[in-house]
Amino acid sequence: MKKVLFLGLGYIGLPTAAVAANHGFEVIGVDVNPVVVETINQGKIHIVEPDLDQMVKEAVQKGNLRSVLKPEQADAFFVVVPTPFKQNHRADITYVESATRSVIPFLKEGDLFVIESTSPVLTTERMAEVIFKERPELKGKIYIAYCPERVLPGNTLYELVHNDRVIGGINPESTEKAIEFYSAFVQGKLHRTNARTAEMCKLTENSSRDSQIAFANELSMICDKAGINVWELISLANKHPRVNILQPGCGVGGHCIAVDPWFIVSDYPEQAQIIKRARETNDYKADWCANRVVEACQQFVTENDREPIVACMGLAFKPNIDDLRESPAKYIASRIISESRAEVLVVEPNISKHPSFNLTDYREAYQKADIVVWLVCHTPFMELPREEGKMELDFCGVRKGI
Ligand SMILES: NC(=O)c1ccc[n+]([C@@H]2O[C@H](COP(=O)([O-])OP(=O)(O)OC[C@H]3O[C@@H](n4cnc5c(N)ncnc54)[C@H](O)[C@@H]3O)[C@@H](O)[C@H]2O)c1
């Protein structure tokens, strides 16, 4: 394997291509977006990821990384395209299928074909069928595997090299061939399995996080009703040597944890009871928070004979990032704006502007507001001193309920 080709140069594909280019491979990056291709060929990047710009620049300058719009011949092919879900929560694997079909004419005996995109169970075996239907002569002659990605954006370049990886082929020979590629740059352990277990492993990791957060979110709603400070409760319960409860928030967001569990639920609806309930609980928590704010606005009007000023503190899907994808905080802010007559000040210190919200500086919003709604536990929020006379609704632990 000397020449390797990556299909999809986004948050995962581009860093992986750059790391491979820095480990002796000749890397071809394919993307259907001409802006992405052009940017990378100029030695620049179109995504935010620390140190990636330098790595891409060096790889392009040395001639180890080149970006194109259409695939070409290579020794190994990696599919790293998006896998969103459709309206009915079923995974949309059309990007994976189209990327797979685009390389079929270029496959030759001995090649490796790997899917990295988060995918429903059996996707790799189905893509193998797609390939062999068009090129039956390649059956048993090429290697096909699944190898999911588990990096944390913001720390991608470190984790790409140091995290353990799970690698599952459609047969043991395929697993070994994929191990051979990843061992060129992964310092973490490479764990062998079959394709469907590797697919399920990625979905399991994110469903596990989702279920554990759902437990914390459920506790937060019970504690609210019972008059108990949930932050104190969890901290005390976690003193048990074998208990480790996560922190509640205003829901679960992001394009992984809020999405991937549905790939299990939609394929195994009867069996996936807890996974489905966890997803629903985390979605419900966002509605519960929005309802609480709308009620607080009504109470304010009754007591003060005027509409309140409400500050929605945070839009990102988790603390200290600028990513708003599937964000419950964004959803809650939108609901407050549409369902109350209050003046709503929206705050997100990690972005400078947003197409749908007029953003306000967090200090100014806090100072002006009658009702402060803590939606995301960004570090600067925790440093704001508390002012008397404000109602504060803390859904993410900025004040830890105190
Ligand atoms: N971003 C993460 O943190 C993360 C972590 C783990 C797993 N994943 C999974 O990795 C996969 C990729 O995610 P991402 O965040 O890198 O996506 P992304 O949207 O950042 O990038 C995907 C790229 O693929 C390109 N593309 C689409 N169809 C194509 C095709 N047929 N041929 C070539 N290029 C094509 C798009 O133009 C885009 O640039 C997804 O399945 C995602 O769930 C992402």
Side-chain angles (χ1 to χ4, degrees):
M1 271 179 281
K2 194 170 170 340
K3 184 171 167 185
V4 299
L5 186 143
F6 284 83
L7 294 136
L9 298 172
Y11 284 95
I12 302 299
L14 182 58
T16 315
V19 168
N22 277 337
H23 282 80
F25 294 99
E26 177 192 348
V27 179
I28 312 298
V30 181
D31 203 290
V32 290
N33 184 341
V35 177
V36 169
V37 169
E38 210 173 293
T39 308
I40 292 165
N41 282 336
Q42 287 168 2
K44 298 181 186 151
I45 60 172
H46 62 291
I47 54 173
V48 178
E49 183 60 46
D51 303 327
L52 182 63
D53 48 354
Q54 195 53 34
M55 192 181 267
V56 168
K57 191 174 161 193
E58 276 173 31
V60 171
Q61 277 174 354
K62 283 186 192 154
N64 297 340
L65 173 63
R66 168 166 67 84
S67 185
V68 288
L69 281 165
K70 298 260 182 239
E72 56 188 70
Q73 268 211 352
D75 304 314
F77 299 83
F78 297 84
V79 175
V80 205
V81 296
T83 39
F85 61 41
K86 298 185 260 189
Q87 286 299 332
N88 59 3
H89 288 140
R90 283 209 158 270
D92 177 1
I93 61 157
T94 51
Y95 297 90
V96 172
E97 183 163 349
S98 130
T100 302
R101 287 190 186 280
S102 73
V103 298
I104 292 178
F106 303 101
L107 292 170
K108 60 181 186 317
E109 185 173 347
D111 282 355
L112 170 67
F113 174 86
V114 176
I115 299 176
E116 284 203 7
S117 297
T118 304
S119 301
V121 172
L122 297 180
T123 302
T124 309
E125 285 158 82
R126 286 191 183 126
M127 291 308 113
E129 282 168 22
V130 168
I131 293 170
F132 295 137
K133 195 162 176 227
E134 280 198 34
R135 302 279 309 275
E137 79 280 8
L138 289 176
K139 214 164 188 175
K141 304 255 170 65
I142 60 169
Y143 306 96
I144 299 180
Y146 182 75
C147 179
E149 185 47 71
R150 41 164 70 136
V151 296
L152 181 69
N155 198 27
T156 299
L157 292 179
Y158 177 85
E159 295 204 2
L160 261 175
V161 173
H162 292 91
N163 286 354
D164 284 14
R165 304 250 342 209
V166 173
I167 300 179
I170 58 165
N171 49 36
E173 300 76 42
S174 295
T175 309
E176 290 311 317
K177 191 76 174 174
I179 294 258
E180 188 189 324
F181 168 75
Y182 286 101
S183 57
F185 63 89
V186 176
Q187 290 173 27
K189 283 197 185 122
L190 301 174
H191 303 273
R192 292 166 171 80
T193 183
N194 55 42
R196 60 179 77 171
T197 307
E199 289 161 344
M200 186 63 180
C201 188
K202 171 69 191 173
L203 303 180
T204 299
E205 289 160 17
N206 285 342
S207 300
S208 163
R209 299 278 297 161
D210 199 41
S211 303
Q212 289 176 53
I213 299 168
F215 183 72
N217 277 337
E218 185 164 295
L219 277 180
S220 70
M221 295 183 279
I222 294 168
C223 286
D224 183 74
K225 189 116 190 152
I228 293 168
N229 178 334
V230 68
W231 317 100
E232 184 193 3
L233 172 84
I234 291 175
S235 144
L236 292 172
N238 283 348
K239 303 283 184 236
H240 184 295
R242 285 167 296 281
V243 171
N244 186 13
I245 304 168
L246 300 183
Q247 301 293 298
C250 66
V252 166
H255 64 300
C256 286
I257 298 182
V259 173
D260 301 349
W262 287 119
F263 294 5
I264 300 180
V265 175
S266 60
D267 280 347
Y268 307 96
E270 274 176 40
Q271 292 77 18
Q273 299 290 331
I274 291 176
I275 296 171
K276 179 163 185 267
R277 285 298 289 156
R279 211 49 319 281
E280 288 168 347
T281 300
N282 286 331
D283 281 349
Y284 172 68
K285 180 69 191 287
D287 277 312
W288 183 88
C289 294
N291 293 344
R292 293 291 316 277
V293 181
V294 172
E295 284 158 20
C297 291
Q298 286 160 354
Q299 189 192 331
F300 185 93
V301 174
T302 312
E303 289 170 5
N304 298 277
D305 211 19
R306 69 170 174 90
E307 293 291 340
I309 300 175
V310 178
C312 290
M313 306 297 275
L315 287 177
F317 81 80
K318 66 176 179 179
N320 303 323
I321 58 163
D322 63 354
D323 192 340
L324 311 189
R325 285 180 288 179
E326 312 288 332
S327 168
K330 194 173 77 175
Y331 168 78
I332 294 165
S334 308
R335 266 200 59 191
I336 298 168
I337 291 168
S338 66
E339 290 176 33
S340 78
R341 277 193 251 140
E343 181 187 342
V344 182
L345 305 174
V346 179
V347 166
E348 179 40 73
N350 295 298
I351 57 175
S352 55
K353 58 179 187 313
H354 189 276
S356 318
F357 300 106
N358 275 329
L359 299 178
T360 305
D361 174 76
Y362 70 97
R363 286 157 290 220
E364 185 189 334
Y366 182 81
Q367 197 249 317
K368 281 188 179 165
D370 302 300
I371 301 174
V372 180
V373 184
W374 298 109
L375 295 171
V376 190
C377 200
H378 290 314
T379 305
F381 293 171
M382 299 176 82
E383 286 153 11
L384 269 178
R386 192 174 188 141
E387 277 181 27
E388 289 298 314
K390 288 188 193 299
M391 178 191 280
E392 298 200 16
L393 296 173
D394 184 6
F395 298 128
C396 58
V398 167
R399 302 293 192 204
K400 296 277 179 251
I402 299 164

mmCIF file of all heavy atoms in Angstrom, residues 100 104 153 156 184 338 340 343 355 357 400:
data_model
loop_
_atom_site.group_PDB
_atom_site.id
_atom_site.type_symbol
_atom_site.label_atom_id
_atom_site.label_comp_id
_atom_site.label_asym_id
_atom_site.label_seq_id
_atom_site.Cartn_x
_atom_site.Cartn_y
_atom_site.Cartn_z
ATOM 1 N N THR A 100 -18.857 4.768 -2.540
ATOM 2 C CA THR A 100 -18.441 3.397 -2.880
ATOM 3 C C THR A 100 -18.518 3.179 -4.390
ATOM 4 O O THR A 100 -17.563 2.704 -5.017
ATOM 5 C CB THR A 100 -19.355 2.374 -2.154
ATOM 6 O OG1 THR A 100 -19.272 2.608 -0.752
ATOM 7 C CG2 THR A 100 -18.943 0.941 -2.461
ATOM 8 N N ILE A 104 -15.586 1.990 -7.680
ATOM 9 C CA ILE A 104 -15.659 0.623 -8.225
ATOM 10 C C ILE A 104 -14.821 0.457 -9.516
ATOM 11 O O ILE A 104 -14.069 -0.518 -9.638
ATOM 12 C CB ILE A 104 -17.134 0.180 -8.432
ATOM 13 C CG1 ILE A 104 -17.813 0.020 -7.061
ATOM 14 C CG2 ILE A 104 -17.216 -1.127 -9.216
ATOM 15 C CD1 ILE A 104 -19.283 -0.367 -7.122
ATOM 16 N N PRO A 153 -13.230 16.270 18.328
ATOM 17 C CA PRO A 153 -12.823 17.458 17.567
ATOM 18 C C PRO A 153 -12.135 18.464 18.489
ATOM 19 O O PRO A 153 -12.550 18.661 19.626
ATOM 20 C CB PRO A 153 -14.150 18.000 17.033
ATOM 21 C CG PRO A 153 -15.048 16.814 16.974
ATOM 22 C CD PRO A 153 -14.651 15.956 18.146
ATOM 23 N N THR A 156 -8.146 16.279 17.533
ATOM 24 C CA THR A 156 -8.171 15.211 16.528
ATOM 25 C C THR A 156 -6.783 14.654 16.208
ATOM 26 O O THR A 156 -6.603 13.431 16.156
ATOM 27 C CB THR A 156 -8.835 15.730 15.230
ATOM 28 O OG1 THR A 156 -10.165 16.121 15.547
ATOM 29 C CG2 THR A 156 -8.881 14.671 14.154
ATOM 30 N N ALA A 184 0.606 1.733 10.501
ATOM 31 C CA ALA A 184 1.662 2.649 10.027
ATOM 32 C C ALA A 184 1.661 3.955 10.813
ATOM 33 O O ALA A 184 2.678 4.640 10.873
ATOM 34 C CB ALA A 184 1.467 2.935 8.543
ATOM 35 N N SER A 338 -40.174 32.289 20.169
ATOM 36 C CA SER A 338 -41.463 32.183 19.472
ATOM 37 C C SER A 338 -42.645 32.063 20.438
ATOM 38 O O SER A 338 -43.757 32.406 20.079
ATOM 39 C CB SER A 338 -41.445 31.021 18.480
ATOM 40 O OG SER A 338 -41.333 29.817 19.175
ATOM 41 N N SER A 340 -42.825 33.277 23.853
ATOM 42 C CA SER A 340 -43.044 34.283 24.897
ATOM 43 C C SER A 340 -43.020 35.669 24.247
ATOM 44 O O SER A 340 -42.533 35.815 23.121
ATOM 45 C CB SER A 340 -41.948 34.187 25.971
ATOM 46 O OG SER A 340 -40.783 34.793 25.491
ATOM 47 N N GLU A 343 -38.526 40.179 25.849
ATOM 48 C CA GLU A 343 -37.366 40.565 25.040
ATOM 49 C C GLU A 343 -36.288 39.513 25.307
ATOM 50 O O GLU A 343 -35.890 39.323 26.472
ATOM 51 C CB GLU A 343 -36.876 41.960 25.445
ATOM 52 C CG GLU A 343 -35.701 42.417 24.615
ATOM 53 C CD GLU A 343 -35.087 43.726 25.091
ATOM 54 O OE1 GLU A 343 -35.751 44.482 25.849
ATOM 55 O OE2 GLU A 343 -33.940 43.990 24.728
ATOM 56 N N PRO A 355 -26.857 33.446 11.595
ATOM 57 C CA PRO A 355 -27.874 33.899 10.641
ATOM 58 C C PRO A 355 -29.260 34.110 11.257
ATOM 59 O O PRO A 355 -30.024 34.946 10.776
ATOM 60 C CB PRO A 355 -27.911 32.781 9.593
ATOM 61 C CG PRO A 355 -27.183 31.633 10.180
ATOM 62 C CD PRO A 355 -26.249 32.165 11.202
ATOM 63 N N PHE A 357 -29.961 34.447 14.889
ATOM 64 C CA PHE A 357 -30.016 35.119 16.193
ATOM 65 C C PHE A 357 -29.144 36.374 16.180
ATOM 66 O O PHE A 357 -28.024 36.341 15.664
ATOM 67 C CB PHE A 357 -29.482 34.211 17.309
ATOM 68 C CG PHE A 357 -30.227 32.922 17.472
ATOM 69 C CD1 PHE A 357 -29.672 31.721 17.036
ATOM 70 C CD2 PHE A 357 -31.476 32.893 18.065
ATOM 71 C CE1 PHE A 357 -30.345 30.526 17.182
ATOM 72 C CE2 PHE A 357 -32.162 31.692 18.225
ATOM 73 C CZ PHE A 357 -31.595 30.511 17.781
ATOM 74 N N LYS A 400 -24.422 25.446 39.852
ATOM 75 C CA LYS A 400 -24.534 24.180 40.620
ATOM 76 C C LYS A 400 -25.724 24.230 41.584
ATOM 77 O O LYS A 400 -25.665 23.710 42.712
ATOM 78 C CB LYS A 400 -23.244 23.883 41.399
ATOM 79 C CG LYS A 400 -22.043 23.633 40.512
ATOM 80 C CD LYS A 400 -22.016 22.191 40.018
ATOM 81 C CE LYS A 400 -20.843 21.904 39.105
ATOM 82 N NZ LYS A 400 -21.151 21.713 37.710
#
